[in-house]
């Protein structure tokens, strides 16, 4: 029997939806084995159609995007109920992705930046969108912090990547259609990076460089003193960025069994720097700017699920 | 209600742990609200342990290692120094006061120093108040 | 009485339409809301400048190239590092590949379904229904050419979705001779495909149904688009030109000056703001010369320009613009087709340009400062504005995205279409799809529009006598 699949888009960019179209002709093969019963981005089914389904009627539901509003949360729970297997699809759903960086700020700060304290927005009446009660227009509540799918409902499988690179996606789809929920590589990106032969055990540098500050000589980025998330990032993309002259920023998330990608990377960096005197060492460390944005670009929501802490004093 | 800070201390077997012992045997006083975890080298303290300690309820994390040049594994303590430096900056960006994390070099004979720095640290944390990470966890 | 379409489907992002009926059951007013916000403006602060092309790309996975490039252009300026010729051309080539595949997406998978399929039940209103109607052959051609263009993006940008190679001052990867050959071949095939698409759509354009669709909505607004020195449409670079509803040039603005000309209005019922021409002012949701509302995107660009920079597309342009500016909202489809052809031709031209395989691909940045990047996303003018601190970290970021520029116009078009199709409280699925289709002309990208906060495909609620009368419910 054909499987019933669903795809839903929470707070994300839509790139995950596009990535599903991005397997091109192979999508037609998938459609031979499965019917799409719910996919708001590409088909005309509405929420009611989903609500009417039996519990567990959907065989595999893919949820991409994070949980940012009440509405996202509601649909996540609804999909959980209606599906046998719920898959977190892409970095937003699994790790919170770059939009998780919003957890460094609170809700009011975000509203201020957008609506009040914004150079092209005069907004003399200081209006902040909240719906129009008398008209019955509601806007879904913006939650205090951004969450990953797993932080809200139980998830059976995850497809990493922002968005999942085609080979990763194809492998995952095949596995899922066969009923398997474990797939993907168990090693770090360095393992399949075209620059891996030049990866050093130790580096001696004066400071870290940012990629726009230095010509790329084609060797391992860490050897060149540029931070590359390769050692702490799961393999699968084949080194898309490192092949194109940009260090890995970690979109595939941590290597399986490693919980905390950012800490793993931070630790790796501390280990490969040559021993040096304390002053110099401090200067090297200080040349790394924006720790959270560097090490947790794709996983701030996991580091700060409730948002930034407020340690008084 | 008075606040009694909970401190998790990772102590290197060869130096700080011995130093702590010494502080104990020579009956020097240091505050008792500290859970000491013996490690073979401060270099074994993965930054993940530090974060975990905070998540499990520590108000402060103390790491004691051998003086520069004295590490039994040659450079474990240098690595620790770099990690701690980076961790402090990460904590700060997370909204956690980096003073909640402290690294000290304490040799096996420095029982007195051990007692002093721990006492100082406990005092400092007492002033900072309970860690916000714990608070969030309670929700 | 209020009608809601929730979620609006076949669009990029989340949206909802609320329609209010008067006593008699005719449309009084309608709103298109975007119930989502993600807060990019806020969390870009404190990030490293060079991360901006990578971070802001995640505003939208449908047009990541647009944000990637707008960010890179803003940084070129902020670091005073104008990219060398080769880098500029590589970026433009990548950019045209993006315009091509994005337009193809809209024409065959999203809005174009309304034009090609007409009033059919919802089960058929998708790409699979399209393949059934027009044959698997055309379906395969569509898929193949979108793949070609995306492969070009991947070759030049490193990744198919969320490219990474644009850096302050240039690009991080040169183009090899083999890659160039590959691109030439693919671009050529894309030209043929665009011509074929022209034919397919023209088949519909001659019909009565098309006239009926055109009649759903026409707005006499200002139009805005980037143009080159000869006032021809350019997606990657150029000055911003604004024409009046009569088609007269009112401004020609250097990109860095654009923010002096526009402002954004806030309404409590939408997370997405409403930009307008500052000098003319915000007069509410009305069109005409006295209202500062302008339109962007394919129709905005083609109305704001005097021609196209490639031969075949220019011919089509002349035919389309023969009688001056076009106000019919469904004209977005004609404009989009012309651009599909233009983008394919331009890819071919650039790939044949020897500068494309040059080795000088980046300029080294100097001290960080302030920068504005203006580019034409498929859906219209996109502006990134950053202020950098001494360390090259972002101090302030302001983003005005394409769909936001069209927000006011979209709201009016939805209301107009609703007025035409909903009478005396009579509503059905097909009628509602007409309302939605007015909206889909703009190919609105609500992912982009909600960059500011956070998410939902569209919903229509219909309210009558102060109560929710129908919730759409498209086939009920
Ligand atoms: S994971 Fe990446 S591609 Fe997918 S929705 Fe999130 S930002 Fe977009
Ligand atoms: S650190 Fe980066 S560049 Fe070096 S081998 Fe690993 S992935 Fe490749
Ligand atoms: S190199 Fe890193 S950032 Fe780039 S696609 Fe691969 S995992 Fe993602
Ligand atoms: S052995 Fe004490 S710090 Fe390494």
């Amino acid at each position: 029997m054909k499987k019933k699949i669903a795809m839903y888009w929470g707070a994300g960019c839509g790139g995950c939806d596009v990535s599903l179209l991005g397997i091109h002709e192979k999508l037609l093969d998938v459609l031979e084995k499965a019917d799409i019963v719910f996919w708001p981005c590409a088909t005309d089914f509405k929420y009611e159609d989903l609500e009417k389904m039996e519990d567990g009627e959907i065989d595999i539901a893919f949820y991409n995007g994070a949980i940012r509003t009440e509405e996202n949360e509601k649909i996540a729970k609804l999909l959980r109920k209606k599906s046998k297997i719920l898959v977190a699809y892409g970095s937003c759903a699994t790790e919170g992705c770059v939009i998780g960086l919003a957890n460094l700020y609170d809700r009011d700060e975000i509203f201020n930046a957008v609506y009040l304290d914004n150079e092209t927005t005069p907004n003399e009446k200081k209006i902040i969108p909240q719906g129009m009660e008398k008209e019955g227009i509601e806007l879904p509540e913006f939650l205090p912090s951004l969450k990953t799918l797993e932080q809200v409902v139980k998830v059976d499988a995850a497809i990493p990547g922002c968005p999942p690179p085609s080979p990763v996606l194809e492998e995952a789809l095949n596995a899922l259609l066969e009923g398997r929920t474990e797939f993907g590589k168990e090693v770090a990106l360095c393992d399949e990076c075209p620059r891996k032969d030049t990866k050093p055990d130790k580096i001696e540098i004066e400071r870290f460089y940012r990629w726009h500050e230095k010509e790329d000589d084609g060797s391992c980025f860490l050897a060149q003193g540029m931070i590359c998330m390769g050692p702490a990032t799961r393999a699968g993309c084949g080194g898309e960025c490192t092949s194109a002259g940009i260090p890995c920023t970690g979109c595939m998330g941590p290597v399986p069994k490693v919980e905390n990608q950012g800490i793993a990377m931070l630790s790796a960096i501390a280990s490969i720097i040559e021993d040096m005197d304390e002053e110099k060492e401090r200067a090297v460390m200080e040349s790394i700017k924006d720790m959270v944005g560097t090490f947790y670009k794709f996983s701030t929501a996991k580091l700060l699920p409730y948002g930034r802490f407020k340690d008084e004093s | 209600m008075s606040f009694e800070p909970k401190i998790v201390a990772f102590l290197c077997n060869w130096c700080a742990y011995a130093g702590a012992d010494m502080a104990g045997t020579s009956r020097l006083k240091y505050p008792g609200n500290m859970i000491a975890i013996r490690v073979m080298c401060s270099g074994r303290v993965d930054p993940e342990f530090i974060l975990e300690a905070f998540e499990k309820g520590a108000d402060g994390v103390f790491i004691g290692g051998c003086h520069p040049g004295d590490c039994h594994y040659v450079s474990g303590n240098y690595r620790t120094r770099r990690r701690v430096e980076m961790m402090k900056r990460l904590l700060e960006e997370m909204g956690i006061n980096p003073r909640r994390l402290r690294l000290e070099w304490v040799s096996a004979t420095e029982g007195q120093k051990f007692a002093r720095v721990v006492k100082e640290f406990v005092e400092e944390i007492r002033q900072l108040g309970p860690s916000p990470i714990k608070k969030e966890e309670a929700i | 009485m209020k009608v809601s379409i929730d979620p609006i489907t076949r669009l990029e992002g989340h949206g909802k339409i609320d329609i209010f009926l008067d006593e008699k059951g005719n449309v009084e007013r309608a709103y298109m809301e975007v119930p989502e916000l993600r807060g990019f403006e806020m969390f870009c602060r404190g990030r490293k400048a060079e991360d901006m092309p990578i971070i802001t790309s995640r505003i939208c996975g449908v047009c990541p190239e647009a944000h990637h490039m707008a960010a890179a252009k803003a940084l070129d300026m902020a670091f005073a590092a104008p990219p060398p010729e080769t880098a500029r051309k590589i970026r433009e080539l990548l950019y045209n590949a993006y315009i091509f595949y994005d337009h193809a997406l809209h024409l065959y998978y999203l809005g174009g379904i309304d034009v090609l399929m007409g009033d059919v039940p919802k089960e058929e209103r998708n790409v699979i229904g399209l393949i059934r109607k027009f044959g698997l052959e055309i379906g395969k051609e569509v898929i193949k050419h979108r793949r070609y263009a995306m492969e070009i993006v991947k070759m030049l940008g490193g990744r198919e979705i969320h490219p990474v190679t644009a850096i302050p001052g240039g690009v991080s990867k040169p183009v090899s001779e083999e890659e160039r050959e590959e691109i030439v071949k693919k671009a050529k095939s894309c030209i043929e495909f665009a011509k074929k698409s022209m034919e397919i759509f023209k088949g519909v354009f001659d019909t009565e149904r098309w006239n009926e669709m055109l009649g759903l909505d026409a707005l006499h607004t200002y139009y805005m688009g980037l143009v080159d020195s000869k006032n021809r449409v350019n997606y990657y670079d150029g000055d911003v030109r604004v024409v009046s509803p009569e088609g007269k040039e009112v401004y020609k603005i250097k990109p860095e000056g654009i923010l002096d000309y526009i402002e954004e209005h806030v309404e409590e019922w939408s997370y997405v703001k409403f930009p307008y021409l500052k000098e003319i002012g915000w007069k509410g949701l009305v069109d005409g010369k006295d209202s500062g509302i302008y339109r962007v995107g394919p129709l905005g660009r083609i109305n704001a320009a005097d021609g196209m920079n490639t031969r075949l597309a220019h011919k089509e342009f002349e035919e389309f613009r023969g009688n001056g500016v076009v106000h019919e909202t469904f004209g977005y489809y004609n404009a989009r087709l012309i651009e599909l052809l233009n983008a394919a031709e331009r890819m071919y031209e650039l790939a044949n340009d020897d500068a494309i395989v040059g080795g000088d691909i980046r300029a080294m940045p100097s001290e960080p400062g302030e920068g504005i990047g203006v580019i034409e996303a498929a859906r219209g003018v996109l502006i990134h504005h950053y202020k950098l601190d001494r360390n090259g970290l972002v101090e302030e970021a302001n983003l005005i995205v394409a769909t936001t520029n069209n927000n006011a116009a979209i709201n009016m078009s939805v209301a107009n279409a609703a007025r035409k199709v909903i009478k005396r409280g009579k509503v059905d699925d097909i009628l509602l799809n007409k309302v939605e289709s007015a909206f889909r002309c703009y190919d609105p990208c609500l992912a982009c529009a909600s960059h500011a906060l956070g998410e939902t495909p569209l919903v229509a609620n219909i309210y009558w006598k102060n109560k929710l009368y129908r919730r759409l419910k498209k086939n009920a």
Side-chain angles (χ1 to χ4, degrees):
Chain A
M1 226 190 63
K2 271 179 129 180
K3 300 243 186 211
K4 289 186 180 168
I5 60 176
M7 175 84 156
Y8 182 74
W9 171 355
C13 76
C16 280
D17 282 286
V18 180
S19 71
L20 193 52
L21 300 174
I23 58 171
H24 305 289
E25 288 85 348
K26 295 210 180 77
L27 185 58
L28 297 176
D29 301 341
V30 172
L31 290 176
E32 282 198 349
K33 292 188 206 139
D35 283 324
I36 296 175
V37 293
F38 182 73
W39 187 9
C41 154
T43 62
D44 264 355
F45 296 96
K46 306 288 175 186
Y47 293 153
E48 284 94 341
D49 298 306
L50 182 60
E51 264 157 26
K52 273 186 236 140
M53 287 180 197
E54 302 282 325
D55 288 0
E57 186 177 329
I58 299 168
D59 291 294
I60 309 169
F62 298 95
Y63 186 104
N64 75 77
I67 313 281
R68 178 77 264 192
T69 62
E70 245 178 358
E71 181 172 357
N72 300 149
E73 193 171 352
K74 199 175 91 195
I75 304 286
K77 289 185 175 151
L78 189 59
L79 266 184
R80 172 70 279 180
K81 213 164 111 202
K82 305 290 177 187
S83 322
K84 291 196 189 76
I85 294 178
L86 178 63
V87 184
Y89 184 122
S91 174
C92 285
T94 54
E95 307 271 304
C97 202
V98 298
I99 54 175
L101 286 165
N103 284 4
L104 287 170
Y105 302 92
D106 65 29
R107 188 164 38 179
D108 290 345
E109 287 174 300
I110 294 175
F111 277 90
N112 285 348
V114 178
Y115 301 110
L116 301 176
D117 170 22
N118 180 297
E119 61 174 329
T120 46
T121 309
N123 199 6
E124 273 140 23
K125 290 194 206 127
K126 308 249 170 287
I127 295 170
I128 290 214
Q130 52 194 345
M132 268 195 307
E133 227 173 280
K134 62 176 187 319
E135 296 272 41
I137 295 185
E138 296 158 24
L139 288 174
E141 181 83 31
F142 192 64
L143 300 173
S145 65
L146 179 137
K147 298 244 158 70
T148 68
L149 183 61
E150 207 178 12
Q151 288 166 345
V152 171
V153 292
K154 181 177 161 287
V155 170
D156 305 301
I159 311 178
C162 175
S166 307
V168 172
L169 184 55
E170 280 165 32
E171 189 194 338
L173 289 177
N174 286 336
L176 286 163
L177 287 172
E178 284 167 13
R180 284 182 291 123
T181 51
E182 304 230 344
F183 38 77
K185 298 197 173 150
E186 305 267 326
V187 292
L189 177 65
C190 294
D191 209 61
E192 58 177 14
C193 172
R195 301 180 185 231
K196 72 172 173 195
D197 293 339
T198 50
K199 189 180 163 197
D201 294 329
K202 282 276 168 210
I203 53 167
E204 198 178 353
I205 50 165
E206 304 262 300
R207 55 173 274 212
F208 280 103
Y209 290 91
R210 290 156 63 180
W211 66 67
H212 65 292
E213 292 173 338
K214 204 175 175 192
E215 295 271 1
D216 169 22
D217 66 14
S219 64
C220 169
F221 282 112
L222 283 173
Q224 301 186 62
M226 290 185 242
I227 292 180
C228 176
M229 290 286 287
T233 300
R234 188 175 190 175
C237 73
E240 289 193 324
C241 304
T242 57
S243 309
I246 297 286
C248 171
T249 49
C251 82
M252 281 283 289
V255 183
K257 301 194 181 78
V258 175
E259 265 296 299
N260 195 316
Q261 183 187 15
I263 289 263
M265 188 61 214
L266 185 147
S267 195
I269 296 240
S271 312
I272 63 160
I273 298 173
E274 283 284 0
D275 298 337
M276 53 183 84
D277 75 64
E278 199 169 350
E279 276 309 299
K280 214 166 133 197
E281 192 172 278
R282 179 154 298 147
V284 173
M285 299 297 153
E286 268 166 14
S287 66
I288 305 176
K289 302 286 177 218
D290 182 20
M291 302 292 281
V292 173
T294 301
F295 297 111
Y296 291 89
K297 191 173 275 113
F298 293 89
S299 57
T300 312
K302 276 171 78 182
L303 181 70
L304 297 168
Y306 306 99
R308 193 169 183 273
F309 294 103
K310 290 203 171 75
D311 203 354
E312 296 90 9
S313 79
Chain B
M1 202 183 79
S2 82
F3 159 62
E4 271 312 313
K6 275 205 246 21
I7 309 287
V8 172
F10 295 99
L11 306 177
C12 164
N13 178 54
W14 304 102
C15 47
Y17 196 81
D21 242 14
M22 164 115 170
T25 46
S26 51
R27 271 178 269 136
L28 287 169
K29 285 226 171 70
Y30 68 89
N33 30 11
M34 186 180 87
I35 303 163
I37 298 172
R38 172 153 54 158
V39 288
M40 288 312 283
C41 169
S42 71
R44 296 285 161 85
V45 183
D46 198 289
E48 188 143 13
F49 301 170
I50 301 174
L51 209 58
E52 212 180 300
F54 280 121
E55 274 165 9
K56 295 243 161 84
D59 298 302
V61 174
F62 181 93
I63 300 171
C66 308
H67 282 274
D70 291 348
C71 172
H72 287 228
Y73 305 89
V74 188
S75 60
N77 53 358
Y78 294 129
R79 195 194 307 165
T80 307
R81 187 168 75 192
R82 293 191 288 266
R83 284 171 170 172
V84 166
E85 182 64 31
M86 296 235 265
M87 275 309 285
K88 277 176 174 284
R89 295 189 46 213
L90 180 67
L91 290 173
E92 184 157 20
E93 287 187 19
M94 290 168 71
I96 297 163
N97 195 320
R99 275 154 56 209
R100 292 187 188 276
L101 173 61
R102 180 134 160 187
L103 171 66
E104 288 287 346
W105 308 135
V106 187
S107 77
T109 54
E110 292 176 316
Q112 214 157 9
K113 177 176 181 192
F114 183 81
R116 177 173 54 79
V117 291
V118 167
K119 191 161 165 252
E120 263 172 38
F121 187 50
V122 171
E123 263 327 297
E124 183 161 25
I125 300 295
R126 197 188 304 279
Q127 264 166 31
L128 290 179
S131 153
I133 309 190
K134 249 187 319 196
K135 265 193 279 176
E136 297 288 339
E137 278 243 310
I139 296 172
Chain C
M1 160 165 168
K2 171 173 131 181
V3 184
S4 291
I5 306 184
D6 185 8
I8 298 176
T9 44
R10 279 184 286 123
L11 63 89
E12 298 101 10
H14 295 205
K16 170 167 172 252
I17 293 176
D18 281 320
I19 300 169
F20 292 86
L21 305 186
D22 61 16
E23 281 302 303
K24 298 198 186 90
N26 295 328
V27 175
E28 196 173 67
R29 38 185 204 289
Y31 302 99
M32 195 259 327
E33 298 121 51
V34 178
E36 178 177 284
L37 178 68
R38 282 169 293 158
F40 276 84
E41 264 109 344
M42 185 72 241
F43 66 73
C44 283
R45 295 188 193 172
R47 309 281 80 76
K48 289 175 286 190
E50 71 276 19
D51 277 345
M52 285 300 103
I54 287 183
I55 290 179
T56 59
S57 154
R58 268 79 188 185
I59 288 173
C60 177
V62 181
C63 53
E65 294 83 358
H67 292 283
H68 188 61
M69 288 298 175
K73 287 183 70 180
L75 296 177
D76 295 343
M77 182 175 156
F79 285 108
E85 185 191 0
T86 297
R88 222 174 46 236
K89 287 188 169 155
I90 292 174
R91 285 189 188 175
E92 190 183 345
L93 176 52
L94 184 158
Y95 208 71
N96 276 277
Y98 143 67
I99 295 281
F100 179 89
Y101 87 65
D102 197 339
H103 278 358
L105 174 75
H106 187 255
L107 289 167
Y108 288 103
Y109 290 78
L110 306 172
I113 304 268
D114 295 326
V115 175
L116 293 174
M117 301 297 288
D119 301 336
V120 296
K122 74 170 176 183
E123 289 74 17
E124 288 165 46
R125 284 197 306 257
N126 53 47
V127 67
I128 299 154
L130 186 100
I131 290 174
R132 272 195 206 112
K133 181 164 169 189
F134 289 89
L136 191 57
E137 265 326 291
I138 183 69
K140 282 190 175 155
E141 285 291 292
V142 174
I143 293 178
K144 183 168 97 188
H145 286 94
R146 272 184 40 81
R147 171 159 59 75
Y148 278 0
M150 289 184 88
E151 281 165 359
I152 296 175
V153 168
K154 166 140 193 185
M155 252 184 259
L156 304 175
R159 310 187 69 220
E160 246 175 44
I161 300 167
H162 301 316
V164 292
T165 53
I167 54 177
V171 292
S172 62
K173 175 185 167 294
V175 177
S176 69
E177 198 50 66
E178 297 86 78
E179 286 172 325
R180 178 241 276 258
E181 269 165 41
E182 184 78 37
I183 298 171
V184 168
K185 254 191 272 159
K186 288 183 165 146
K188 200 160 175 196
S189 182
C190 287
I191 298 179
E192 291 312 309
F193 172 76
K195 285 201 241 166
K196 178 91 200 252
S197 300
M198 218 37 145
E199 256 169 57
I200 292 175
F201 275 83
K202 277 190 173 161
V204 179
F205 293 165
D206 289 336
T207 62
E208 216 170 283
R209 187 162 59 77
W210 179 245
N211 276 328
E212 199 185 295
M213 286 177 121
L214 285 178
L216 278 181
D217 177 50
L219 297 177
H220 296 252
T221 58
Y222 288 80
Y223 296 95
M224 181 188 282
L226 280 189
V227 292
D228 65 14
S229 56
K230 294 183 184 137
N231 286 339
R232 299 174 307 188
V233 171
N234 193 309
Y235 314 107
Y236 173 73
D237 219 354
D239 291 342
V240 183
R241 193 177 194 218
V242 177
V243 302
S244 68
E246 294 97 41
K248 296 222 176 60
E249 176 178 309
V250 282
Y251 307 121
K252 198 159 167 190
I253 315 161
K254 289 263 159 261
E256 51 281 16
I258 176 91
L259 296 178
D260 297 335
Y261 290 82
I262 50 187
E263 273 181 354
E264 298 175 282
H265 173 78
V266 182
E267 288 279 354
E268 56 195 344
W269 46 271
S270 177
Y271 282 141
V272 179
K273 296 185 276 191
F274 300 83
Y276 55 93
L277 297 170
K278 185 173 174 177
E279 213 172 62
I280 320 255
W282 175 255
K283 304 283 153 61
L285 292 170
V286 288
D287 63 350
K289 209 170 175 292
D290 299 328
S291 163
I293 292 174
Y294 57 91
R295 288 198 279 182
V296 300
L299 188 64
R301 285 190 286 264
I302 287 201
N303 276 336
D306 295 339
M308 307 303 287
N309 58 13
T310 58
R311 196 175 55 87
L312 297 175
H314 185 69
K315 245 174 70 195
E316 298 290 339
F317 175 98
E318 290 195 311
E319 194 182 305
F320 178 63
R321 283 281 314 273
N323 301 318
V325 288
V326 176
H327 295 299
E328 280 81 10
T329 302
F330 275 80
Y332 268 94
Y333 286 99
N334 311 66
R336 199 167 282 124
L337 279 162
I338 296 171
E339 292 191 344
L340 184 77
L341 183 56
N342 176 243
E345 288 183 282
R346 188 77 187 129
M347 276 196 279
Y348 186 74
E349 257 177 41
L350 283 163
N352 278 301
D353 186 331
D354 287 336
I356 212 84
V357 287
D360 185 14
I361 54 169
R362 59 192 289 193
M364 279 304 167
S366 39
E367 290 305 302
E370 182 176 346
I372 295 185
V374 181
I375 203 159
E376 283 290 344
R379 294 158 192 82
V381 178
L382 165 67
I383 305 164
H384 282 211
H385 179 202
Y386 308 123
K387 288 186 188 138
L388 308 181
D389 73 5
R390 208 159 39 84
N391 290 318
L393 300 181
V394 175
E395 216 163 38
E396 232 176 276
N398 191 20
L399 314 167
I400 300 181
V401 305
T403 297
T404 305
N405 282 313
N406 271 339
N407 192 15
I410 292 173
N411 268 280
M412 290 191 289
S413 293
V414 165
N416 280 349
R419 263 179 216 118
K420 296 239 164 75
V421 299
I422 301 173
K423 292 260 150 76
R424 277 174 230 97
K426 193 176 161 300
V427 197
D428 65 31
D429 173 42
I430 303 261
L431 287 184
L432 273 163
N433 190 49
K434 284 207 169 119
V435 175
E436 270 191 66
S437 66
F439 161 93
R440 278 196 292 260
C441 289
Y442 296 90
D443 185 12
C445 179
L446 301 180
C448 280
S450 67
H451 70 283
L453 261 167
E455 164 239 35
T456 299
L458 259 153
V459 191
N461 291 312
I462 304 188
Y463 294 85
W464 195 4
K465 302 184 176 140
N466 295 326
K467 278 213 304 279
L468 181 62
Y469 161 76
R470 285 279 293 284
R471 162 161 270 219
L472 275 146
K473 279 284 191 95
K474 304 195 65 188
N475 58 343

